[in-house]
Protein backbone atom coordinates (compact mmCIF):
# COMPACT_ATOMS: atom_id res chain seq x y z
CA UNK A 1 0.00 0.00 0.00
CA UNK A 2 1.13 3.51 -0.81
CA UNK A 3 2.33 5.49 2.20
CA UNK A 4 1.27 9.13 2.64
CA UNK A 5 3.87 11.82 1.99
CA UNK A 6 3.88 15.31 3.49
CA UNK A 7 5.93 18.48 3.04
CA UNK A 8 7.67 19.68 6.21
CA UNK A 9 10.33 22.13 5.04
CA UNK A 10 10.92 24.71 2.29
CA UNK A 11 14.03 26.52 1.05
CA UNK A 12 14.51 28.75 -1.98
CA UNK A 13 16.68 31.22 -3.83
CA UNK A 14 14.87 32.97 -6.67
CA UNK A 15 15.11 36.14 -8.75
CA UNK A 16 12.47 37.45 -6.33
CA UNK A 17 14.50 36.94 -3.16
CA UNK A 18 17.04 34.83 -1.36
CA UNK A 19 14.58 32.97 0.86
CA UNK A 20 11.11 31.43 0.63
CA UNK A 21 9.70 34.32 2.65
CA UNK A 22 11.16 37.06 0.43
CA UNK A 23 10.30 35.22 -2.79
CA UNK A 24 6.72 34.62 -1.69
CA UNK A 25 6.21 38.19 -0.46
CA UNK A 26 7.44 39.51 -3.80
CA UNK A 27 5.29 37.04 -5.74
CA UNK A 28 2.04 37.92 -3.97
CA UNK A 29 2.71 41.63 -4.45
CA UNK A 30 3.30 41.07 -8.16
CA UNK A 31 6.94 42.17 -8.34
CA UNK A 32 9.12 41.33 -11.32
CA UNK A 33 12.57 39.83 -10.76
CA UNK A 34 13.67 40.44 -14.36
CA UNK A 35 16.41 42.86 -15.42
CA UNK A 36 19.29 43.29 -17.86
CA UNK A 37 21.82 40.42 -17.84
CA UNK A 38 24.81 41.27 -15.61
CA UNK A 39 26.58 37.90 -15.69
CA UNK A 40 28.25 38.55 -19.04
CA UNK A 41 28.28 41.20 -21.72
CA UNK A 42 25.11 40.36 -23.63
CA UNK A 43 25.01 43.29 -26.07
CA UNK A 44 25.49 41.07 -29.14
CA UNK A 45 22.80 38.57 -28.05
CA UNK A 46 19.21 38.71 -29.22
CA UNK A 47 17.86 38.39 -25.66
CA UNK A 48 19.68 40.53 -23.09
CA UNK A 49 17.44 40.10 -20.06
CA UNK A 50 17.16 37.53 -17.29
CA UNK A 51 15.88 36.72 -13.83
CA UNK A 52 19.18 36.63 -11.95
CA UNK A 53 19.77 35.82 -8.28
CA UNK A 54 20.80 39.06 -6.61
CA UNK A 55 23.04 39.73 -3.59
CA UNK A 56 23.45 36.06 -2.74
CA UNK A 57 26.06 35.62 -0.03
CA UNK A 58 27.22 32.00 -0.19
CA UNK A 59 29.54 32.46 2.81
CA UNK A 60 26.51 31.97 5.05
CA UNK A 61 26.31 28.39 3.82
CA UNK A 62 29.70 27.26 2.51
CA UNK A 63 33.39 28.00 3.01
CA UNK A 64 35.66 29.93 0.65
CA UNK A 65 37.13 26.80 -0.85
CA UNK A 66 33.69 25.43 -1.72
CA UNK A 67 32.71 28.74 -3.31
CA UNK A 68 35.75 28.59 -5.58
CA UNK A 69 35.29 24.98 -6.56
CA UNK A 70 31.58 24.37 -6.90
CA UNK A 71 29.49 25.64 -9.73
CA UNK A 72 26.71 28.04 -8.72
CA UNK A 73 24.00 25.42 -9.31
CA UNK A 74 25.61 23.39 -6.50
CA UNK A 75 26.03 26.40 -4.20
CA UNK A 76 22.38 27.32 -4.71
CA UNK A 77 21.34 23.74 -3.86
CA UNK A 78 23.46 23.68 -0.71
CA UNK A 79 22.04 27.03 0.42
CA UNK A 80 18.39 26.16 -0.29
CA UNK A 81 18.79 22.72 1.30
CA UNK A 82 20.24 24.29 4.45
CA UNK A 83 17.20 26.55 4.60
CA UNK A 84 14.76 23.68 3.99
CA UNK A 85 16.34 21.33 6.54
CA UNK A 86 16.42 24.12 9.15
CA UNK A 87 12.81 25.03 8.32
CA UNK A 88 11.78 21.38 8.87
CA UNK A 89 13.79 21.27 12.14
CA UNK A 90 15.11 18.02 10.75
CA UNK A 91 18.16 16.23 12.12
CA UNK A 92 19.50 13.29 10.14
CA UNK A 93 21.15 11.16 12.81
CA UNK A 94 23.66 8.43 11.88
CA UNK A 95 21.08 5.78 12.90
CA UNK A 96 18.51 7.33 10.56
CA UNK A 97 20.89 8.20 7.70
CA UNK A 98 20.01 5.23 5.49
CA UNK A 99 16.35 6.22 5.46
CA UNK A 100 17.06 9.75 4.17
CA UNK A 101 17.76 10.44 0.51
CA UNK A 102 18.33 13.25 -1.98
CA UNK A 103 16.98 13.85 -5.49
CA UNK A 104 17.68 17.30 -6.90
CA UNK A 105 17.08 17.95 -10.57
CA UNK A 106 18.89 20.28 -12.93
CA UNK A 107 18.32 20.81 -16.63
CA UNK A 108 21.96 21.36 -17.50
CA UNK A 109 24.28 21.23 -14.47
CA UNK A 110 27.50 23.28 -14.33
CA UNK A 111 27.26 25.08 -17.65
CA UNK A 112 29.29 28.14 -16.61
CA UNK A 113 32.12 25.90 -15.40
CA UNK A 114 31.98 24.00 -18.68
CA UNK A 115 32.22 27.21 -20.68
CA UNK A 116 35.05 28.54 -18.52
CA UNK A 117 37.07 25.33 -18.87
CA UNK A 118 36.53 25.31 -22.62
CA UNK A 119 37.97 28.81 -22.56
CA UNK A 120 41.08 27.46 -20.82
CA UNK A 121 41.27 24.65 -23.31
CA UNK A 122 41.10 26.85 -26.40
CA UNK A 123 43.22 29.75 -25.18
CA UNK A 124 45.82 27.79 -23.30
CA UNK A 125 46.42 24.09 -22.98
CA UNK A 126 44.90 21.00 -21.39
CA UNK A 127 47.22 21.26 -18.38
CA UNK A 128 45.21 24.27 -17.23
CA UNK A 129 42.01 22.28 -16.74
CA UNK A 130 41.11 22.23 -13.05
CA UNK A 131 40.86 18.87 -11.27
CA UNK A 132 37.60 20.24 -9.88
CA UNK A 133 36.04 20.87 -13.29
CA UNK A 134 34.31 17.53 -13.86
CA UNK A 135 32.62 17.37 -10.44
CA UNK A 136 31.51 21.00 -10.90
CA UNK A 137 29.87 20.21 -14.24
CA UNK A 138 28.05 16.94 -13.50
CA UNK A 139 24.37 17.66 -12.90
CA UNK A 140 23.99 15.05 -10.14
CA UNK A 141 26.62 16.74 -7.97
CA UNK A 142 23.99 19.03 -6.42
CA UNK A 143 22.40 15.90 -4.96
CA UNK A 144 25.86 14.53 -4.18
CA UNK A 145 27.02 17.54 -2.18
CA UNK A 146 23.71 17.85 -0.34
CA UNK A 147 23.84 14.18 0.66
CA UNK A 148 27.40 14.68 1.97
CA UNK A 149 26.41 17.83 3.87
CA UNK A 150 23.53 16.15 5.70
CA UNK A 151 24.81 12.59 5.87
CA UNK A 152 21.85 11.28 3.88
CA UNK A 153 22.77 7.74 2.83
CA UNK A 154 19.48 6.58 1.33
CA UNK A 155 18.37 6.77 -2.32
CA UNK A 156 20.14 9.38 -4.45
CA UNK A 157 19.36 10.48 -7.97
CA UNK A 158 19.20 13.47 -10.28
CA UNK A 159 16.49 14.25 -12.79
CA UNK A 160 17.78 15.98 -15.92
CA UNK A 161 14.45 16.30 -17.69
CA UNK A 162 15.13 19.83 -18.97
CA UNK A 163 12.58 22.35 -17.71
CA UNK A 164 10.64 19.64 -15.87
CA UNK A 165 13.71 18.47 -13.89
CA UNK A 166 12.67 19.89 -10.50
CA UNK A 167 9.22 18.35 -10.80
CA UNK A 168 10.53 14.98 -11.98
CA UNK A 169 12.90 15.00 -9.00
CA UNK A 170 10.12 15.73 -6.51
CA UNK A 171 7.87 13.14 -8.17
CA UNK A 172 10.53 10.46 -7.88
CA UNK A 173 11.34 11.45 -4.30
CA UNK A 174 7.64 11.20 -3.45
CA UNK A 175 7.55 7.69 -4.90
CA UNK A 176 10.66 6.68 -2.97
CA UNK A 177 8.80 7.49 0.26
CA UNK A 178 5.37 6.26 -0.87
CA UNK A 179 6.77 2.85 -1.78
CA UNK A 180 9.02 2.49 1.25
CA UNK A 181 12.56 3.07 -0.07
CA UNK A 182 13.06 6.10 2.19
CA UNK A 183 11.32 8.01 4.98
CA UNK A 184 12.70 11.48 4.29
CA UNK A 185 13.79 13.05 1.00
CA UNK A 186 15.53 16.36 0.31
CA UNK A 187 14.31 17.22 -3.18
CA UNK A 188 13.71 19.95 -5.74
CA UNK A 189 15.51 21.64 -8.59
CA UNK A 190 18.47 23.93 -9.10
CA UNK A 191 19.84 25.85 -12.07
CA UNK A 192 22.51 28.47 -12.78
CA UNK A 193 22.60 28.63 -16.55
CA UNK A 194 22.38 32.31 -17.44
CA UNK A 195 25.45 31.84 -19.61
CA UNK A 196 26.57 32.73 -23.12
CA UNK A 197 25.84 29.26 -24.48
CA UNK A 198 22.36 28.99 -22.93
CA UNK A 199 21.29 32.53 -23.82
CA UNK A 200 22.78 32.16 -27.30
CA UNK A 201 21.34 28.69 -27.82
CA UNK A 202 17.80 29.36 -26.59
CA UNK A 203 18.00 32.64 -28.51
CA UNK A 204 18.86 30.80 -31.72
CA UNK A 205 15.76 28.65 -31.19
CA UNK A 206 13.73 31.90 -31.02
CA UNK A 207 12.56 30.71 -27.60
CA UNK A 208 13.58 33.85 -25.65
CA UNK A 209 11.81 37.17 -25.30
CA UNK A 210 13.61 40.05 -27.01
CA UNK A 211 11.73 42.77 -25.17
CA UNK A 212 15.12 44.08 -24.03
CA UNK A 213 13.95 47.66 -23.57
CA UNK A 214 11.33 46.70 -20.99
CA UNK A 215 12.65 43.74 -18.95
CA UNK A 216 10.02 43.76 -16.22
CA UNK A 217 7.25 43.50 -18.81
CA UNK A 218 8.96 40.84 -20.94
CA UNK A 219 7.64 37.70 -19.26
CA UNK A 220 3.93 37.88 -20.00
CA UNK A 221 2.39 34.40 -19.99
CA UNK A 222 -0.95 34.03 -21.76
CA UNK A 223 -0.82 37.65 -23.01
CA UNK A 224 -1.38 38.32 -26.70
CA UNK A 225 1.96 40.14 -26.97
CA UNK A 226 4.07 37.40 -25.39
CA UNK A 227 7.21 36.76 -27.42
CA UNK A 228 9.14 34.03 -25.63
CA UNK A 229 10.43 33.14 -22.19
CA UNK A 230 12.90 35.08 -20.07
CA UNK A 231 15.72 32.91 -18.78
CA UNK A 232 16.04 32.73 -15.00
CA UNK A 233 18.04 30.90 -12.36
CA UNK A 234 17.41 29.72 -8.84
CA UNK A 235 16.74 26.78 -6.60
CA UNK A 236 13.73 25.40 -4.77
CA UNK A 237 14.13 22.59 -2.25
CA UNK A 238 11.43 20.88 -0.23
CA UNK A 239 11.61 18.28 2.52
CA UNK A 240 9.28 15.33 2.00
CA UNK A 241 8.48 13.02 4.88
CA UNK A 242 6.48 9.91 5.43
CA UNK A 243 3.37 10.98 7.33
CA UNK A 244 3.70 8.97 10.55
CA UNK A 245 7.32 10.05 11.00
CA UNK A 246 6.35 13.71 10.58
CA UNK A 247 3.50 13.30 13.08
CA UNK A 248 5.69 11.43 15.59
CA UNK A 249 8.30 14.14 15.68
CA UNK A 250 5.68 16.89 15.77
CA UNK A 251 6.83 18.46 12.53
CA UNK A 252 4.93 21.36 11.02
CA UNK A 253 3.13 19.99 7.97
CA UNK A 254 2.73 22.46 5.10
CA UNK A 255 0.75 20.18 2.80
CA UNK A 256 0.36 16.65 1.57
CA UNK A 257 1.96 15.66 -1.71
CA UNK A 258 -0.90 13.49 -2.90
CA UNK A 259 -0.24 12.83 -6.56
CA UNK A 260 2.31 12.82 -9.34
CA UNK A 261 1.82 12.36 -13.07
CA UNK A 262 4.46 11.99 -15.74
CA UNK A 263 3.97 11.43 -19.45
CA UNK A 264 5.81 11.88 -22.71
CA UNK A 265 4.61 13.60 -25.87
CA UNK A 266 6.63 11.35 -28.21
CA UNK A 267 6.22 14.17 -30.70
CA UNK A 268 9.06 16.71 -31.12
CA UNK A 269 12.35 17.42 -29.36
CA UNK A 270 11.35 20.94 -28.30
CA UNK A 271 7.76 21.80 -29.26
CA UNK A 272 4.53 20.59 -27.63
CA UNK A 273 1.83 19.22 -29.95
CA UNK A 274 -1.39 21.21 -30.57
CA UNK A 275 -3.85 20.44 -27.79
CA UNK A 276 -1.01 19.10 -25.67
CA UNK A 277 -2.62 15.75 -24.99
CA UNK A 278 0.43 14.58 -22.98
CA UNK A 279 0.06 17.50 -20.58
CA UNK A 280 -3.62 16.74 -20.07
CA UNK A 281 -2.77 13.11 -19.45
CA UNK A 282 -0.08 13.93 -16.86
CA UNK A 283 -2.54 16.13 -14.96
CA UNK A 284 -5.14 13.36 -15.15
CA UNK A 285 -2.68 10.79 -13.81
CA UNK A 286 -1.68 13.07 -10.90
CA UNK A 287 -5.36 13.60 -10.00
CA UNK A 288 -6.07 9.88 -10.15
CA UNK A 289 -2.95 9.13 -8.11
CA UNK A 290 -4.33 11.44 -5.39
CA UNK A 291 -7.72 9.68 -5.46
CA UNK A 292 -9.41 12.92 -6.56
CA UNK A 293 -11.55 14.09 -9.46
CA UNK A 294 -10.83 16.98 -11.85
CA UNK A 295 -13.56 19.06 -10.14
CA UNK A 296 -11.54 18.90 -6.91
CA UNK A 297 -8.70 21.01 -8.35
CA UNK A 298 -8.75 24.63 -7.18
CA UNK A 299 -5.49 26.09 -8.48
CA UNK A 300 -2.87 25.26 -11.10
CA UNK A 301 0.55 26.89 -10.99
CA UNK A 302 0.95 26.66 -14.75
CA UNK A 303 4.07 25.97 -16.74
CA UNK A 304 3.06 29.24 -18.50
CA UNK A 305 6.42 30.08 -20.04
CA UNK A 306 5.32 33.12 -22.07
CA UNK A 307 6.13 31.37 -25.34
CA UNK A 308 3.42 31.52 -28.02
CA UNK A 309 3.04 27.73 -28.24
CA UNK A 310 3.24 26.63 -24.61
CA UNK A 311 0.66 29.00 -23.23
CA UNK A 312 -1.95 28.24 -25.88
CA UNK A 313 -1.47 24.47 -25.80
CA UNK A 314 -1.35 24.30 -22.00
CA UNK A 315 -4.64 26.21 -21.95
CA UNK A 316 -6.10 23.74 -24.46
CA UNK A 317 -4.95 20.82 -22.33
CA UNK A 318 -6.59 22.31 -19.22
CA UNK A 319 -9.82 22.94 -21.12
CA UNK A 320 -9.81 19.43 -22.51
CA UNK A 321 -9.24 17.73 -19.16
CA UNK A 322 -11.40 19.88 -16.91
CA UNK A 323 -14.29 20.71 -19.25
CA UNK A 324 -16.71 23.11 -17.53
CA UNK A 325 -14.59 23.14 -14.38
CA UNK A 326 -11.76 24.79 -16.37
CA UNK A 327 -13.68 28.07 -16.07
CA UNK A 328 -13.88 27.78 -12.29
CA UNK A 329 -10.34 26.87 -11.33
CA UNK A 330 -7.57 29.45 -11.07
CA UNK A 331 -4.45 29.18 -13.20
CA UNK A 332 -1.44 31.48 -12.78
CA UNK A 333 2.12 31.60 -14.01
CA UNK A 334 4.67 32.85 -11.50
CA UNK A 335 7.19 32.80 -14.36
CA UNK A 336 5.72 36.20 -15.18
CA UNK A 337 7.79 37.38 -12.18
CA UNK A 338 10.70 34.91 -11.85
CA UNK A 339 11.36 34.18 -15.50
CA UNK A 340 11.93 30.58 -16.46
CA UNK A 341 14.44 29.01 -14.07
CA UNK A 342 14.73 25.88 -16.26
CA UNK A 343 15.39 22.86 -14.01
CA UNK A 344 14.84 24.92 -10.85
CA UNK A 345 11.35 25.87 -11.93
CA UNK A 346 9.73 22.67 -10.63
CA UNK A 347 11.22 23.17 -7.18
CA UNK A 348 10.36 26.85 -6.87
CA UNK A 349 6.85 26.52 -8.32
CA UNK A 350 6.07 23.57 -6.06
CA UNK A 351 6.88 25.93 -3.19
CA UNK A 352 4.58 28.63 -4.61
CA UNK A 353 1.78 26.05 -4.95
CA UNK A 354 2.35 24.92 -1.34
CA UNK A 355 2.38 28.52 -0.04
CA UNK A 356 -0.84 29.27 -1.97
CA UNK A 357 -2.47 26.32 -0.16
CA UNK A 358 -1.06 27.31 3.22
CA UNK A 359 -1.87 31.02 3.05
CA UNK A 360 -5.00 31.06 0.88
CA UNK A 361 -3.41 33.53 -1.55
CA UNK A 362 -3.05 32.84 -5.27
CA UNK A 363 0.00 34.59 -6.76
CA UNK A 364 -0.83 36.52 -9.93
CA UNK A 365 0.19 36.34 -13.58
CA UNK A 366 1.66 39.80 -13.99
CA UNK A 367 1.87 41.63 -17.34
CA UNK A 368 -1.31 39.94 -18.56
CA UNK A 369 -2.94 42.93 -20.24
CA UNK A 370 -4.88 41.23 -23.02
CA UNK A 371 -5.26 37.46 -23.09
CA UNK A 372 -3.95 35.90 -26.30
CA UNK A 373 -6.20 34.10 -28.75
CA UNK A 374 -7.52 30.89 -27.21
CA UNK A 375 -6.27 31.87 -23.72
CA UNK A 376 -9.63 31.79 -21.98
CA UNK A 377 -9.00 30.76 -18.35
CA UNK A 378 -8.93 32.65 -15.04
CA UNK A 379 -5.21 33.44 -15.00
CA UNK A 380 -5.39 35.64 -11.87
CA UNK A 381 -4.15 38.62 -13.91
CA UNK A 382 -1.88 41.26 -12.36
CA UNK A 383 -3.09 41.08 -8.75
CA UNK A 384 -3.00 38.17 -6.27
CA UNK A 385 -6.31 36.74 -5.14
CA UNK A 386 -7.23 35.77 -1.58
CA UNK A 387 -9.08 32.50 -1.62
CA UNK A 388 -9.02 29.41 0.57
CA UNK A 389 -8.12 26.43 -1.56
CA UNK A 390 -7.79 22.73 -0.83
CA UNK A 391 -5.72 21.58 -3.79
CA UNK A 392 -2.92 23.05 -5.90
CA UNK A 393 -1.19 21.50 -8.87
CA UNK A 394 2.15 22.46 -10.37
CA UNK A 395 2.65 21.83 -14.08
CA UNK A 396 6.07 21.71 -15.73
CA UNK A 397 6.97 20.57 -19.22
CA UNK A 398 10.42 20.04 -20.68
CA UNK A 399 12.26 19.60 -23.96
CA UNK A 400 12.18 15.99 -25.05
CA UNK A 401 8.42 15.93 -24.56
CA UNK A 402 8.41 15.62 -20.75
CA UNK A 403 5.21 16.48 -18.89
CA UNK A 404 5.42 16.34 -15.09
CA UNK A 405 2.70 17.37 -12.67
CA UNK A 406 2.56 17.45 -8.85
CA UNK A 407 -0.65 17.64 -6.86
CA UNK A 408 -0.53 19.08 -3.35
CA UNK A 409 -3.50 19.16 -1.02
CA UNK A 410 -4.25 20.62 2.36
CA UNK A 411 -3.19 18.22 5.04
CA UNK A 412 -5.93 16.54 7.05
CA UNK A 413 -5.10 14.38 10.06
CA UNK A 414 -5.72 10.70 9.40
CA UNK A 415 -8.94 9.64 11.11
CA UNK B 1 58.52 38.21 0.44
CA UNK B 2 60.70 35.10 0.88
CA UNK B 3 60.01 31.93 -1.08
CA UNK B 4 58.67 30.30 2.08
CA UNK B 5 56.26 33.17 2.68
CA UNK B 6 55.06 33.07 -0.93
CA UNK B 7 54.42 29.32 -0.78
CA UNK B 8 52.59 29.57 2.54
CA UNK B 9 50.45 32.45 1.25
CA UNK B 10 49.31 30.25 -1.66
CA UNK B 11 48.62 27.29 0.63
CA UNK B 12 46.54 29.47 2.95
CA UNK B 13 44.46 30.74 0.01
CA UNK B 14 44.02 27.40 -1.70
CA UNK B 15 43.32 25.16 1.26
CA UNK B 16 41.47 27.66 3.42
CA UNK B 17 43.81 27.09 6.40
CA UNK B 18 45.55 29.52 8.77
CA UNK B 19 49.15 30.68 8.48
CA UNK B 20 49.81 29.13 11.89
CA UNK B 21 48.84 25.69 10.58
CA UNK B 22 51.38 26.00 7.78
CA UNK B 23 54.53 24.85 9.57
CA UNK B 24 57.19 23.44 7.26
CA UNK B 25 56.56 19.86 8.31
CA UNK B 26 52.79 20.11 7.82
CA UNK B 27 51.52 17.33 5.57
CA UNK B 28 48.90 18.51 3.08
CA UNK B 29 46.74 15.46 3.59
CA UNK B 30 47.26 14.61 7.27
CA UNK B 31 47.61 18.10 8.76
CA UNK B 32 45.93 20.51 6.34
CA UNK B 33 42.86 18.46 5.41
CA UNK B 34 43.66 18.29 1.70
CA UNK B 35 42.74 15.43 -0.62
CA UNK B 36 44.56 14.39 -3.77
CA UNK B 37 42.53 16.79 -5.94
CA UNK B 38 43.38 19.68 -3.62
CA UNK B 39 47.07 18.90 -4.05
CA UNK B 40 46.80 18.82 -7.84
CA UNK B 41 45.05 22.19 -7.82
CA UNK B 42 47.55 23.66 -5.35
CA UNK B 43 50.51 22.57 -7.46
CA UNK B 44 48.86 23.99 -10.59
CA UNK B 45 48.74 27.31 -8.75
CA UNK B 46 52.42 26.91 -7.86
CA UNK B 47 53.28 26.22 -11.50
CA UNK B 48 51.45 29.38 -12.50
CA UNK B 49 52.94 31.51 -9.72
CA UNK B 50 56.55 30.40 -10.14
CA UNK B 51 56.59 29.59 -13.86
CA UNK B 52 57.66 25.97 -13.41
CA UNK B 53 56.28 22.65 -14.56
CA UNK B 54 55.77 19.85 -12.06
CA UNK B 55 55.82 16.40 -13.64
CA UNK B 56 53.46 13.72 -12.35
CA UNK B 57 56.35 11.65 -10.88
CA UNK B 58 57.52 14.70 -8.94
CA UNK B 59 54.01 15.43 -7.77
CA UNK B 60 53.84 12.10 -5.98
CA UNK B 61 56.89 12.98 -3.85
CA UNK B 62 55.35 16.19 -2.55
CA UNK B 63 53.84 15.51 0.87
CA UNK B 64 54.68 18.54 3.05
CA UNK B 65 55.11 22.28 2.61
CA UNK B 66 58.86 21.76 2.93
CA UNK B 67 58.74 19.37 -0.06
CA UNK B 68 57.27 22.14 -2.21
CA UNK B 69 59.89 24.65 -1.12
CA UNK B 70 62.73 22.16 -1.68
CA UNK B 71 61.35 21.33 -5.12
CA UNK B 72 61.14 25.00 -6.11
CA UNK B 73 64.68 25.65 -4.82
CA UNK B 74 65.92 22.71 -6.89
CA UNK B 75 64.39 24.39 -9.92
CA UNK B 76 66.46 27.46 -9.12
CA UNK B 77 63.70 29.55 -7.59
CA UNK B 78 64.46 31.59 -4.49
Amino acid sequence: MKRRVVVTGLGALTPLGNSVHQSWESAVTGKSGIGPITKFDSHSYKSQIAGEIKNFDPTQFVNKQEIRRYDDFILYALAASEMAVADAKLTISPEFSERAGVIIGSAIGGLSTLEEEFGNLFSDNPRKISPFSVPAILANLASGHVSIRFGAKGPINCAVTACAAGTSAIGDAYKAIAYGDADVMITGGTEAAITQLAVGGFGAMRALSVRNDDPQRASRPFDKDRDGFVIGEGCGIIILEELSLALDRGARIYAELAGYGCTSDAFHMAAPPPGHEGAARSMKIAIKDAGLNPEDIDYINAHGTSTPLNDLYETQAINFLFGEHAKKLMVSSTKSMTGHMLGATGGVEAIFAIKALQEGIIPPTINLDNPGEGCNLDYVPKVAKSKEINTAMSNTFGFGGVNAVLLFKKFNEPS
Amino acid sequence: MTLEEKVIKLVVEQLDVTKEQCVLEASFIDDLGADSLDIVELLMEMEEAFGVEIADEELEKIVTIKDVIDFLKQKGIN
Side-chain angles (χ1 to χ4, degrees):
Chain A
M1 205 188 96
K2 224 176 76 176
R3 307 194 300 168
R4 290 175 71 183
V5 179
V6 292
V7 181
T8 57
L10 308 175
L13 286 172
T14 77
L16 295 175
N18 294 340
S19 66
V20 169
H21 178 75
Q22 279 178 23
S23 300
W24 177 248
E25 288 302 307
S26 299
V28 295
T29 48
K31 288 202 181 109
S32 169
I34 310 301
I37 290 175
T38 65
K39 291 188 182 270
F40 62 93
D41 176 7
S42 66
H43 81 272
S44 56
Y45 291 71
K46 275 190 266 195
S47 180
Q48 302 165 10
I49 51 178
E52 296 181 344
I53 300 280
K54 296 157 205 86
N55 308 317
F56 170 53
D57 175 16
T59 57
Q60 289 176 41
F61 306 98
V62 287
N63 67 37
K64 277 188 284 180
Q65 228 181 357
E66 291 173 306
I67 295 169
R68 210 174 53 232
R69 288 171 179 179
Y70 302 167
D71 192 274
D72 280 350
F73 87 102
I74 295 170
L75 296 178
Y76 294 171
L78 281 166
S81 298
E82 283 280 358
M83 293 183 225
V85 168
D87 186 45
K89 299 189 168 60
L90 181 70
T91 313
I92 299 173
S93 64
E95 302 73 46
F96 181 69
S97 60
E98 292 172 22
R99 299 298 300 164
V102 185
I103 305 180
I104 298 171
S106 181
I108 313 181
L111 191 59
S112 63
T113 303
L114 185 69
E115 291 178 29
E116 201 177 303
E117 293 295 347
F118 261 108
N120 281 338
L121 197 55
F122 289 136
S123 65
D124 241 313
N125 65 50
R127 287 182 58 88
K128 295 275 175 179
I129 297 171
S130 161
F132 293 97
S133 59
V134 171
I137 293 166
L138 299 178
N140 71 304
L141 265 284
S143 290
H145 282 293
V146 169
S147 75
I148 295 166
R149 171 68 58 99
F150 296 103
K153 295 182 172 179
I156 185 163
N157 212 330
C158 167
V160 283
T161 45
C163 299
T167 306
S168 299
I170 295 171
D172 288 349
Y174 152 75
K175 288 194 172 179
I177 297 176
Y179 295 110
D181 293 340
D183 295 325
V184 167
M185 295 295 291
I186 302 170
T187 183
T190 185
E191 203 76 63
I194 303 175
T195 69
Q196 292 166 286
L197 186 57
V199 174
F202 283 121
M205 296 178 88
R206 309 269 189 294
L208 297 178
S209 170
V210 294
R211 197 182 287 266
N212 297 321
D213 56 348
D214 198 2
Q216 303 215 331
R217 308 269 295 155
S219 185
R220 40 197 317 117
F222 308 107
D223 188 82
K224 82 173 171 41
D225 295 323
R226 65 189 186 275
D227 73 330
F229 76 83
V230 176
I231 194 168
E233 63 173 346
C235 181
I237 298 290
I238 67 177
I239 306 298
L240 295 180
E241 249 178 283
E242 191 274 320
L243 174 61
S244 65
L245 175 74
L247 289 174
D248 285 350
R249 72 178 189 91
R252 173 197 38 206
I253 295 174
Y254 281 101
E256 178 166 1
L257 175 48
Y260 170 55
C262 173
T263 65
S264 174
D265 291 332
F267 173 72
H268 185 272
M269 63 182 176
H276 213 172
E277 170 274 337
R281 216 158 21 92
S282 62
M283 289 185 264
K284 188 176 174 182
I285 292 169
I287 293 167
K288 190 172 171 225
D289 187 33
L292 297 173
N293 296 306
E295 306 77 65
D296 297 322
I297 304 307
D298 297 324
Y299 167 56
I300 300 173
N301 186 297
H303 190 50
T305 53
S306 185
T307 60
L309 285 190
N310 175 82
D311 298 358
L312 175 62
Y313 295 167
E314 185 174 12
T315 298
Q316 290 172 346
I318 291 169
N319 275 305
F320 174 77
L321 176 66
F322 291 93
E324 275 303 297
H325 184 65
K327 300 282 178 291
K328 293 181 197 148
L329 56 79
M330 294 171 286
V331 178
S332 73
S333 172
T334 41
K335 287 189 186 75
S336 58
M337 299 173 276
T338 60
H340 189 349
M341 300 162 282
L342 310 182
T345 280
V348 172
E349 292 174 8
I351 290 172
F352 286 152
I354 292 161
K355 290 296 287 180
L357 267 178
Q358 187 204 8
E359 309 229 341
I361 303 174
I362 313 302
T365 305
I366 66 166
N367 300 326
L368 179 47
D369 297 330
N370 301 293
E373 203 185 327
C375 295
N376 59 354
L377 302 171
D378 173 5
Y379 299 111
V380 195
K382 298 183 182 199
V383 183
K385 209 183 262 184
S386 285
K387 190 165 181 190
E388 283 301 313
I389 56 172
N390 290 307
T391 54
M393 290 206 312
S394 173
N395 284 356
T396 58
F397 314 134
F399 282 1
V402 185
N403 308 301
V405 174
L406 297 168
L407 198 170
F408 297 95
K409 66 175 191 182
K410 246 192 195 140
F411 171 67
N412 296 307
E413 294 271 349
S415 46
Chain B
M1 213 187 283
T2 66
L3 177 62
E4 186 179 322
E5 284 167 344
K6 283 183 201 162
V7 167
I8 289 175
K9 185 167 177 279
L10 273 173
V11 174
V12 166
E13 280 167 16
Q14 288 292 311
L15 299 182
D16 203 17
V17 291
T18 63
K19 228 194 266 183
E20 290 66 40
Q21 285 173 279
C22 295
V23 293
L24 287 180
E25 296 72 30
S27 149
F28 292 115
I29 291 179
D30 297 334
D31 302 317
L32 301 177
D35 63 22
S36 60
L37 296 184
D38 293 323
I39 294 177
V40 173
E41 193 193 45
L42 177 68
L43 296 181
M44 281 171 73
E45 290 295 323
M46 298 281 175
E47 287 182 326
E48 179 92 25
F50 297 105
V52 292
E53 239 181 60
I54 305 172
D56 283 356
E57 330 48 282
E58 292 168 313
L59 193 147
E60 280 163 29
K61 291 183 216 144
I62 292 175
V63 177
T64 65
I65 291 178
K66 185 169 179 297
D67 294 338
V68 176
I69 295 167
D70 290 346
F71 170 81
L72 290 171
K73 280 183 181 160
Q74 241 178 56
K75 293 272 170 180
I77 293 157
N78 292 299

